[in-house]
mmCIF file of all heavy atoms in Angstrom:
data_model
loop_
_atom_site.group_PDB
_atom_site.id
_atom_site.type_symbol
_atom_site.label_atom_id
_atom_site.label_comp_id
_atom_site.label_asym_id
_atom_site.label_seq_id
_atom_site.Cartn_x
_atom_site.Cartn_y
_atom_site.Cartn_z
ATOM 1 N N MET A 1 -1.890 1.288 -0.789
ATOM 2 C CA MET A 1 -1.343 2.153 -1.828
ATOM 3 C C MET A 1 -1.914 3.556 -1.689
ATOM 4 O O MET A 1 -3.126 3.737 -1.655
ATOM 5 C CB MET A 1 -1.685 1.588 -3.208
ATOM 6 C CG MET A 1 -1.179 2.418 -4.371
ATOM 7 S SD MET A 1 0.600 2.336 -4.534
ATOM 8 C CE MET A 1 0.783 0.755 -5.365
ATOM 9 N N VAL A 2 -1.026 4.537 -1.590
ATOM 10 C CA VAL A 2 -1.424 5.949 -1.610
ATOM 11 C C VAL A 2 -1.069 6.493 -2.990
ATOM 12 O O VAL A 2 0.104 6.536 -3.369
ATOM 13 C CB VAL A 2 -0.709 6.758 -0.512
ATOM 14 C CG1 VAL A 2 -0.956 8.257 -0.701
ATOM 15 C CG2 VAL A 2 -1.197 6.315 0.865
ATOM 16 N N HIS A 3 -2.109 6.872 -3.748
ATOM 17 C CA HIS A 3 -1.883 7.428 -5.083
ATOM 18 C C HIS A 3 -1.671 8.940 -4.966
ATOM 19 O O HIS A 3 -2.619 9.675 -4.696
ATOM 20 C CB HIS A 3 -3.092 7.147 -5.985
ATOM 21 C CG HIS A 3 -3.388 5.698 -6.160
ATOM 22 N ND1 HIS A 3 -4.622 5.143 -5.879
ATOM 23 C CD2 HIS A 3 -2.604 4.670 -6.579
ATOM 24 C CE1 HIS A 3 -4.589 3.843 -6.140
ATOM 25 N NE2 HIS A 3 -3.378 3.540 -6.561
ATOM 26 N N LEU A 4 -0.464 9.386 -5.180
ATOM 27 C CA LEU A 4 -0.174 10.818 -5.093
ATOM 28 C C LEU A 4 -0.926 11.579 -6.186
ATOM 29 O O LEU A 4 -1.086 11.087 -7.301
ATOM 30 C CB LEU A 4 1.326 11.065 -5.247
ATOM 31 C CG LEU A 4 2.249 10.389 -4.228
ATOM 32 C CD1 LEU A 4 3.695 10.731 -4.543
ATOM 33 C CD2 LEU A 4 1.891 10.794 -2.802
ATOM 34 N N GLY A 5 -1.352 12.793 -5.864
ATOM 35 C CA GLY A 5 -1.961 13.639 -6.876
ATOM 36 C C GLY A 5 -0.970 13.940 -7.990
ATOM 37 O O GLY A 5 0.248 13.800 -7.821
ATOM 38 N N ALA A 6 -1.486 14.328 -9.143
ATOM 39 C CA ALA A 6 -0.625 14.615 -10.294
ATOM 40 C C ALA A 6 0.444 15.636 -9.918
ATOM 41 O O ALA A 6 0.144 16.713 -9.407
ATOM 42 C CB ALA A 6 -1.464 15.126 -11.458
ATOM 43 N N LEU A 7 1.687 15.290 -10.184
ATOM 44 C CA LEU A 7 2.824 16.101 -9.765
ATOM 45 C C LEU A 7 3.133 17.225 -10.759
ATOM 46 O O LEU A 7 2.677 17.203 -11.904
ATOM 47 C CB LEU A 7 4.047 15.197 -9.575
ATOM 48 C CG LEU A 7 3.902 14.149 -8.458
ATOM 49 C CD1 LEU A 7 5.036 13.138 -8.514
ATOM 50 C CD2 LEU A 7 3.858 14.833 -7.092
ATOM 51 N N PRO A 8 3.896 18.226 -10.338
ATOM 52 C CA PRO A 8 4.202 19.373 -11.202
ATOM 53 C C PRO A 8 4.805 18.947 -12.545
ATOM 54 O O PRO A 8 5.662 18.066 -12.597
ATOM 55 C CB PRO A 8 5.228 20.162 -10.373
ATOM 56 C CG PRO A 8 4.912 19.816 -8.960
ATOM 57 C CD PRO A 8 4.487 18.369 -8.992
ATOM 58 N N GLY A 9 4.318 19.564 -13.602
ATOM 59 C CA GLY A 9 4.825 19.283 -14.937
ATOM 60 C C GLY A 9 4.067 18.204 -15.677
ATOM 61 O O GLY A 9 4.261 18.030 -16.880
ATOM 62 N N THR A 10 3.187 17.461 -14.976
ATOM 63 C CA THR A 10 2.401 16.422 -15.650
ATOM 64 C C THR A 10 1.059 17.007 -16.102
ATOM 65 O O THR A 10 0.572 17.980 -15.526
ATOM 66 C CB THR A 10 2.173 15.217 -14.733
ATOM 67 O OG1 THR A 10 1.402 15.614 -13.591
ATOM 68 C CG2 THR A 10 3.503 14.645 -14.254
ATOM 69 N N PRO A 11 0.442 16.422 -17.135
ATOM 70 C CA PRO A 11 -0.752 17.028 -17.740
ATOM 71 C C PRO A 11 -1.913 17.303 -16.796
ATOM 72 O O PRO A 11 -2.662 18.268 -16.998
ATOM 73 C CB PRO A 11 -1.143 16.003 -18.813
ATOM 74 C CG PRO A 11 0.140 15.358 -19.192
ATOM 75 C CD PRO A 11 0.930 15.272 -17.922
ATOM 76 N N LEU A 12 -2.099 16.470 -15.772
ATOM 77 C CA LEU A 12 -3.252 16.619 -14.887
ATOM 78 C C LEU A 12 -2.945 17.394 -13.607
ATOM 79 O O LEU A 12 -3.805 17.492 -12.730
ATOM 80 C CB LEU A 12 -3.816 15.234 -14.522
ATOM 81 C CG LEU A 12 -4.341 14.389 -15.695
ATOM 82 C CD1 LEU A 12 -4.876 13.055 -15.194
ATOM 83 C CD2 LEU A 12 -5.422 15.148 -16.469
ATOM 84 N N ASN A 13 -1.752 17.947 -13.509
ATOM 85 C CA ASN A 13 -1.389 18.654 -12.274
ATOM 86 C C ASN A 13 -2.271 19.874 -12.028
ATOM 87 O O ASN A 13 -2.452 20.717 -12.909
ATOM 88 C CB ASN A 13 0.070 19.092 -12.321
ATOM 89 C CG ASN A 13 0.444 19.979 -11.143
ATOM 90 O OD1 ASN A 13 0.662 21.171 -11.308
ATOM 91 N ND2 ASN A 13 0.491 19.413 -9.963
ATOM 92 N N LYS A 14 -2.826 19.964 -10.814
ATOM 93 C CA LYS A 14 -3.635 21.106 -10.397
ATOM 94 C C LYS A 14 -3.234 21.605 -9.015
ATOM 95 O O LYS A 14 -3.466 22.769 -8.684
ATOM 96 C CB LYS A 14 -5.121 20.719 -10.392
ATOM 97 C CG LYS A 14 -5.687 20.386 -11.760
ATOM 98 C CD LYS A 14 -7.150 19.980 -11.670
ATOM 99 C CE LYS A 14 -7.711 19.614 -13.040
ATOM 100 N NZ LYS A 14 -9.130 19.161 -12.938
ATOM 101 N N LEU A 15 -2.657 20.736 -8.203
ATOM 102 C CA LEU A 15 -2.341 21.069 -6.820
ATOM 103 C C LEU A 15 -0.865 21.404 -6.640
ATOM 104 O O LEU A 15 -0.003 20.927 -7.398
ATOM 105 C CB LEU A 15 -2.705 19.899 -5.900
ATOM 106 C CG LEU A 15 -4.168 19.457 -5.859
ATOM 107 C CD1 LEU A 15 -4.317 18.232 -4.962
ATOM 108 C CD2 LEU A 15 -5.063 20.592 -5.395
ATOM 109 N N SER A 16 -0.581 22.178 -5.619
ATOM 110 C CA SER A 16 0.806 22.452 -5.251
ATOM 111 C C SER A 16 1.397 21.214 -4.582
ATOM 112 O O SER A 16 0.665 20.305 -4.156
ATOM 113 C CB SER A 16 0.865 23.618 -4.267
ATOM 114 O OG SER A 16 0.240 23.262 -3.040
ATOM 115 N N VAL A 17 2.700 21.175 -4.476
ATOM 116 C CA VAL A 17 3.364 20.045 -3.826
ATOM 117 C C VAL A 17 2.902 19.914 -2.382
ATOM 118 O O VAL A 17 2.655 18.810 -1.885
ATOM 119 C CB VAL A 17 4.898 20.199 -3.898
ATOM 120 C CG1 VAL A 17 5.592 19.135 -3.052
ATOM 121 C CG2 VAL A 17 5.377 20.108 -5.346
ATOM 122 N N SER A 18 2.748 21.034 -1.697
ATOM 123 C CA SER A 18 2.307 20.993 -0.295
ATOM 124 C C SER A 18 0.900 20.430 -0.169
ATOM 125 O O SER A 18 0.598 19.686 0.773
ATOM 126 C CB SER A 18 2.391 22.382 0.331
ATOM 127 O OG SER A 18 1.561 23.304 -0.362
ATOM 128 N N ASP A 19 0.010 20.753 -1.118
ATOM 129 C CA ASP A 19 -1.349 20.221 -1.079
ATOM 130 C C ASP A 19 -1.372 18.727 -1.411
ATOM 131 O O ASP A 19 -2.144 17.959 -0.825
ATOM 132 C CB ASP A 19 -2.251 20.982 -2.046
ATOM 133 C CG ASP A 19 -2.680 22.337 -1.506
ATOM 134 O OD1 ASP A 19 -2.637 22.520 -0.271
ATOM 135 O OD2 ASP A 19 -3.050 23.208 -2.315
ATOM 136 N N ILE A 20 -0.542 18.318 -2.351
ATOM 137 C CA ILE A 20 -0.441 16.892 -2.668
ATOM 138 C C ILE A 20 0.052 16.132 -1.442
ATOM 139 O O ILE A 20 -0.464 15.052 -1.105
ATOM 140 C CB ILE A 20 0.509 16.666 -3.871
ATOM 141 C CG1 ILE A 20 -0.081 17.297 -5.137
ATOM 142 C CG2 ILE A 20 0.759 15.166 -4.082
ATOM 143 C CD1 ILE A 20 0.880 17.331 -6.309
ATOM 144 N N ALA A 21 1.030 16.690 -0.759
ATOM 145 C CA ALA A 21 1.566 16.058 0.457
ATOM 146 C C ALA A 21 0.508 15.972 1.544
ATOM 147 O O ALA A 21 0.390 14.959 2.240
ATOM 148 C CB ALA A 21 2.779 16.828 0.949
ATOM 149 N N ARG A 22 -0.278 17.041 1.691
ATOM 150 C CA ARG A 22 -1.312 17.059 2.731
ATOM 151 C C ARG A 22 -2.317 15.929 2.536
ATOM 152 O O ARG A 22 -2.676 15.220 3.484
ATOM 153 C CB ARG A 22 -2.034 18.416 2.715
ATOM 154 C CG ARG A 22 -3.225 18.506 3.675
ATOM 155 C CD ARG A 22 -3.930 19.842 3.571
ATOM 156 N NE ARG A 22 -4.299 20.182 2.209
ATOM 157 C CZ ARG A 22 -5.349 19.663 1.566
ATOM 158 N NH1 ARG A 22 -6.127 18.771 2.176
ATOM 159 N NH2 ARG A 22 -5.617 20.031 0.336
ATOM 160 N N VAL A 23 -2.769 15.741 1.298
ATOM 161 C CA VAL A 23 -3.727 14.678 1.000
ATOM 162 C C VAL A 23 -3.096 13.307 1.247
ATOM 163 O O VAL A 23 -3.721 12.404 1.818
ATOM 164 C CB VAL A 23 -4.237 14.784 -0.446
ATOM 165 C CG1 VAL A 23 -5.122 13.587 -0.796
ATOM 166 C CG2 VAL A 23 -5.001 16.088 -0.647
ATOM 167 N N ALA A 24 -1.845 13.140 0.816
ATOM 168 C CA ALA A 24 -1.149 11.868 1.000
ATOM 169 C C ALA A 24 -1.009 11.535 2.483
ATOM 170 O O ALA A 24 -1.198 10.377 2.896
ATOM 171 C CB ALA A 24 0.223 11.919 0.337
ATOM 172 N N ILE A 25 -0.692 12.536 3.281
ATOM 173 C CA ILE A 25 -0.553 12.325 4.723
ATOM 174 C C ILE A 25 -1.888 11.943 5.343
ATOM 175 O O ILE A 25 -1.967 11.029 6.182
ATOM 176 C CB ILE A 25 0.028 13.588 5.399
ATOM 177 C CG1 ILE A 25 1.491 13.772 4.987
ATOM 178 C CG2 ILE A 25 -0.087 13.501 6.924
ATOM 179 C CD1 ILE A 25 2.059 15.128 5.376
ATOM 180 N N GLU A 26 -2.962 12.614 4.935
ATOM 181 C CA GLU A 26 -4.294 12.294 5.459
ATOM 182 C C GLU A 26 -4.657 10.842 5.164
ATOM 183 O O GLU A 26 -5.178 10.119 6.029
ATOM 184 C CB GLU A 26 -5.331 13.236 4.858
ATOM 185 C CG GLU A 26 -5.239 14.670 5.363
ATOM 186 C CD GLU A 26 -6.167 15.616 4.614
ATOM 187 O OE1 GLU A 26 -6.834 15.155 3.660
ATOM 188 O OE2 GLU A 26 -6.233 16.804 4.998
ATOM 189 N N GLU A 27 -4.402 10.391 3.938
ATOM 190 C CA GLU A 27 -4.721 9.012 3.572
ATOM 191 C C GLU A 27 -3.831 8.028 4.332
ATOM 192 O O GLU A 27 -4.303 6.986 4.811
ATOM 193 C CB GLU A 27 -4.554 8.820 2.068
ATOM 194 C CG GLU A 27 -5.580 9.590 1.238
ATOM 195 C CD GLU A 27 -5.485 9.283 -0.246
ATOM 196 O OE1 GLU A 27 -4.579 8.507 -0.647
ATOM 197 O OE2 GLU A 27 -6.320 9.804 -1.005
ATOM 198 N N ALA A 28 -2.555 8.360 4.448
ATOM 199 C CA ALA A 28 -1.624 7.471 5.142
ATOM 200 C C ALA A 28 -1.988 7.328 6.615
ATOM 201 O O ALA A 28 -1.915 6.225 7.188
ATOM 202 C CB ALA A 28 -0.193 7.995 4.990
ATOM 203 N N ILE A 29 -2.374 8.416 7.252
ATOM 204 C CA ILE A 29 -2.797 8.362 8.652
ATOM 205 C C ILE A 29 -4.050 7.506 8.805
ATOM 206 O O ILE A 29 -4.169 6.702 9.736
ATOM 207 C CB ILE A 29 -3.029 9.781 9.204
ATOM 208 C CG1 ILE A 29 -1.689 10.514 9.357
ATOM 209 C CG2 ILE A 29 -3.753 9.733 10.550
ATOM 210 C CD1 ILE A 29 -1.822 11.971 9.755
ATOM 211 N N LEU A 30 -4.990 7.667 7.882
ATOM 212 C CA LEU A 30 -6.208 6.852 7.917
ATOM 213 C C LEU A 30 -5.847 5.368 7.839
ATOM 214 O O LEU A 30 -6.385 4.549 8.603
ATOM 215 C CB LEU A 30 -7.118 7.253 6.754
ATOM 216 C CG LEU A 30 -8.537 6.686 6.708
ATOM 217 C CD1 LEU A 30 -9.432 7.576 5.862
ATOM 218 C CD2 LEU A 30 -8.583 5.258 6.160
ATOM 219 N N TYR A 31 -4.951 5.011 6.936
ATOM 220 C CA TYR A 31 -4.536 3.622 6.785
ATOM 221 C C TYR A 31 -3.808 3.121 8.031
ATOM 222 O O TYR A 31 -4.010 1.984 8.476
ATOM 223 C CB TYR A 31 -3.638 3.461 5.561
ATOM 224 C CG TYR A 31 -4.343 3.597 4.235
ATOM 225 C CD1 TYR A 31 -3.686 4.119 3.123
ATOM 226 C CD2 TYR A 31 -5.663 3.183 4.073
ATOM 227 C CE1 TYR A 31 -4.323 4.232 1.896
ATOM 228 C CE2 TYR A 31 -6.310 3.289 2.861
ATOM 229 C CZ TYR A 31 -5.632 3.810 1.768
ATOM 230 O OH TYR A 31 -6.263 3.921 0.559
ATOM 231 N N GLN A 32 -2.953 3.956 8.574
ATOM 232 C CA GLN A 32 -2.208 3.565 9.764
ATOM 233 C C GLN A 32 -3.161 3.294 10.931
ATOM 234 O O GLN A 32 -3.026 2.283 11.635
ATOM 235 C CB GLN A 32 -1.206 4.658 10.149
ATOM 236 C CG GLN A 32 -0.401 4.359 11.399
ATOM 237 C CD GLN A 32 0.715 5.349 11.613
ATOM 238 O OE1 GLN A 32 1.861 5.095 11.250
ATOM 239 N NE2 GLN A 32 0.417 6.489 12.202
ATOM 240 N N GLU A 33 -4.123 4.170 11.122
ATOM 241 C CA GLU A 33 -5.071 4.008 12.221
ATOM 242 C C GLU A 33 -6.000 2.821 12.004
ATOM 243 O O GLU A 33 -6.522 2.250 12.971
ATOM 244 C CB GLU A 33 -5.873 5.297 12.390
ATOM 245 C CG GLU A 33 -5.032 6.470 12.888
ATOM 246 C CD GLU A 33 -5.817 7.760 13.014
ATOM 247 O OE1 GLU A 33 -6.955 7.824 12.476
ATOM 248 O OE2 GLU A 33 -5.298 8.706 13.629
ATOM 249 N N ALA A 34 -6.197 2.425 10.746
ATOM 250 C CA ALA A 34 -7.060 1.285 10.434
ATOM 251 C C ALA A 34 -6.360 -0.049 10.656
ATOM 252 O O ALA A 34 -7.017 -1.098 10.637
ATOM 253 C CB ALA A 34 -7.551 1.374 8.995
ATOM 254 N N GLY A 35 -5.041 -0.022 10.845
ATOM 255 C CA GLY A 35 -4.316 -1.246 11.145
ATOM 256 C C GLY A 35 -3.578 -1.881 9.986
ATOM 257 O O GLY A 35 -3.167 -3.045 10.076
ATOM 258 N N LEU A 36 -3.378 -1.146 8.888
ATOM 259 C CA LEU A 36 -2.592 -1.692 7.797
ATOM 260 C C LEU A 36 -1.132 -1.844 8.217
ATOM 261 O O LEU A 36 -0.669 -1.186 9.151
ATOM 262 C CB LEU A 36 -2.707 -0.811 6.547
ATOM 263 C CG LEU A 36 -3.935 -1.103 5.670
ATOM 264 C CD1 LEU A 36 -5.205 -0.553 6.301
ATOM 265 C CD2 LEU A 36 -3.760 -0.520 4.272
ATOM 266 N N ASP A 37 -0.412 -2.708 7.510
ATOM 267 C CA ASP A 37 0.948 -3.059 7.926
ATOM 268 C C ASP A 37 2.043 -2.197 7.307
ATOM 269 O O ASP A 37 3.150 -2.114 7.841
ATOM 270 C CB ASP A 37 1.229 -4.521 7.569
ATOM 271 C CG ASP A 37 0.259 -5.467 8.251
ATOM 272 O OD1 ASP A 37 0.274 -5.538 9.493
ATOM 273 O OD2 ASP A 37 -0.535 -6.114 7.546
ATOM 274 N N ALA A 38 1.770 -1.609 6.162
ATOM 275 C CA ALA A 38 2.768 -0.799 5.463
ATOM 276 C C ALA A 38 2.049 0.093 4.460
ATOM 277 O O ALA A 38 0.885 -0.154 4.125
ATOM 278 C CB ALA A 38 3.787 -1.683 4.741
ATOM 279 N N ILE A 39 2.733 1.101 3.980
ATOM 280 C CA ILE A 39 2.147 2.033 3.015
ATOM 281 C C ILE A 39 3.103 2.223 1.842
ATOM 282 O O ILE A 39 4.308 2.417 2.031
ATOM 283 C CB ILE A 39 1.824 3.387 3.677
ATOM 284 C CG1 ILE A 39 0.674 3.205 4.683
ATOM 285 C CG2 ILE A 39 1.462 4.443 2.630
ATOM 286 C CD1 ILE A 39 0.367 4.419 5.507
ATOM 287 N N LEU A 40 2.535 2.154 0.652
ATOM 288 C CA LEU A 40 3.295 2.318 -0.590
ATOM 289 C C LEU A 40 2.777 3.536 -1.330
ATOM 290 O O LEU A 40 1.590 3.630 -1.629
ATOM 291 C CB LEU A 40 3.134 1.055 -1.442
ATOM 292 C CG LEU A 40 3.736 1.028 -2.842
ATOM 293 C CD1 LEU A 40 5.242 1.211 -2.793
ATOM 294 C CD2 LEU A 40 3.391 -0.302 -3.522
ATOM 295 N N LEU A 41 3.654 4.486 -1.608
ATOM 296 C CA LEU A 41 3.288 5.689 -2.354
ATOM 297 C C LEU A 41 3.607 5.489 -3.832
ATOM 298 O O LEU A 41 4.593 4.829 -4.178
ATOM 299 C CB LEU A 41 4.051 6.909 -1.834
ATOM 300 C CG LEU A 41 3.518 7.606 -0.580
ATOM 301 C CD1 LEU A 41 3.619 6.697 0.638
ATOM 302 C CD2 LEU A 41 4.286 8.902 -0.312
ATOM 303 N N GLU A 42 2.765 6.082 -4.692
ATOM 304 C CA GLU A 42 2.935 5.918 -6.138
ATOM 305 C C GLU A 42 2.386 7.141 -6.863
ATOM 306 O O GLU A 42 1.346 7.676 -6.490
ATOM 307 C CB GLU A 42 2.181 4.662 -6.582
ATOM 308 C CG GLU A 42 2.202 4.399 -8.074
ATOM 309 C CD GLU A 42 1.252 3.268 -8.440
ATOM 310 O OE1 GLU A 42 0.034 3.421 -8.243
ATOM 311 O OE2 GLU A 42 1.728 2.227 -8.931
ATOM 312 N N ASN A 43 3.069 7.568 -7.912
ATOM 313 C CA ASN A 43 2.636 8.730 -8.699
ATOM 314 C C ASN A 43 1.635 8.328 -9.782
ATOM 315 O O ASN A 43 1.802 8.637 -10.974
ATOM 316 C CB ASN A 43 3.863 9.422 -9.320
ATOM 317 C CG ASN A 43 4.648 8.516 -10.252
ATOM 318 O OD1 ASN A 43 4.748 7.309 -10.019
ATOM 319 N ND2 ASN A 43 5.222 9.091 -11.290
ATOM 320 N N MET A 44 0.563 7.687 -9.362
ATOM 321 C CA MET A 44 -0.423 7.092 -10.285
ATOM 322 C C MET A 44 -1.093 8.130 -11.189
ATOM 323 O O MET A 44 -1.463 7.837 -12.328
ATOM 324 C CB MET A 44 -1.487 6.359 -9.466
ATOM 325 C CG MET A 44 -2.521 5.611 -10.279
ATOM 326 S SD MET A 44 -1.865 4.082 -10.946
ATOM 327 C CE MET A 44 -3.347 3.349 -11.623
ATOM 328 N N HIS A 45 -1.257 9.351 -10.694
ATOM 329 C CA HIS A 45 -1.991 10.362 -11.457
ATOM 330 C C HIS A 45 -1.126 11.084 -12.504
ATOM 331 O O HIS A 45 -1.614 11.998 -13.179
ATOM 332 C CB HIS A 45 -2.595 11.386 -10.505
ATOM 333 C CG HIS A 45 -3.741 10.855 -9.697
ATOM 334 N ND1 HIS A 45 -5.057 10.919 -10.115
ATOM 335 C CD2 HIS A 45 -3.764 10.234 -8.495
ATOM 336 C CE1 HIS A 45 -5.847 10.377 -9.193
ATOM 337 N NE2 HIS A 45 -5.085 9.951 -8.209
ATOM 338 N N ASP A 46 0.134 10.679 -12.650
ATOM 339 C CA ASP A 46 1.043 11.362 -13.582
ATOM 340 C C ASP A 46 0.894 10.881 -15.027
ATOM 341 O O ASP A 46 1.850 10.915 -15.800
ATOM 342 C CB ASP A 46 2.496 11.174 -13.135
ATOM 343 C CG ASP A 46 2.858 12.023 -11.939
ATOM 344 O OD1 ASP A 46 1.988 12.748 -11.432
ATOM 345 O OD2 ASP A 46 4.020 11.958 -11.502
ATOM 346 N N ILE A 47 -0.301 10.430 -15.402
ATOM 347 C CA ILE A 47 -0.515 9.928 -16.759
ATOM 348 C C ILE A 47 -0.437 11.061 -17.790
ATOM 349 O O ILE A 47 -0.834 12.185 -17.491
ATOM 350 C CB ILE A 47 -1.877 9.201 -16.871
ATOM 351 C CG1 ILE A 47 -2.996 10.060 -16.283
ATOM 352 C CG2 ILE A 47 -1.817 7.859 -16.193
ATOM 353 C CD1 ILE A 47 -4.374 9.441 -16.413
#
């Protein structure tokens, strides 16, 4: 599970969309290189 940073318009948003994407890509690459089978993205921080 890749928890996306808080998205625009949500109370905890601090990052731009490009920065949120950059972090998500870094985590996804780490998981891919570690041998995980699939990746699920989720807007967990949009509380």
Side-chain angles (χ1 to χ4, degrees):
M1 179 71 80
V2 170
H3 300 125
L4 301 179
L7 296 169
T10 63
L12 298 180
N13 173 251
K14 295 179 181 178
L15 299 176
S16 65
V17 172
S18 60
D19 283 338
I20 295 170
R22 175 182 52 78
V23 174
I25 291 168
E26 289 173 357
E27 292 185 357
I29 290 174
L30 189 157
Y31 289 148
Q32 179 171 263
E33 292 178 346
L36 275 75
D37 300 296
I39 292 173
L40 175 61
L41 279 66
E42 177 189 64
N43 60 325
M44 184 76 172
H45 289 270
D46 285 1
I47 49 177

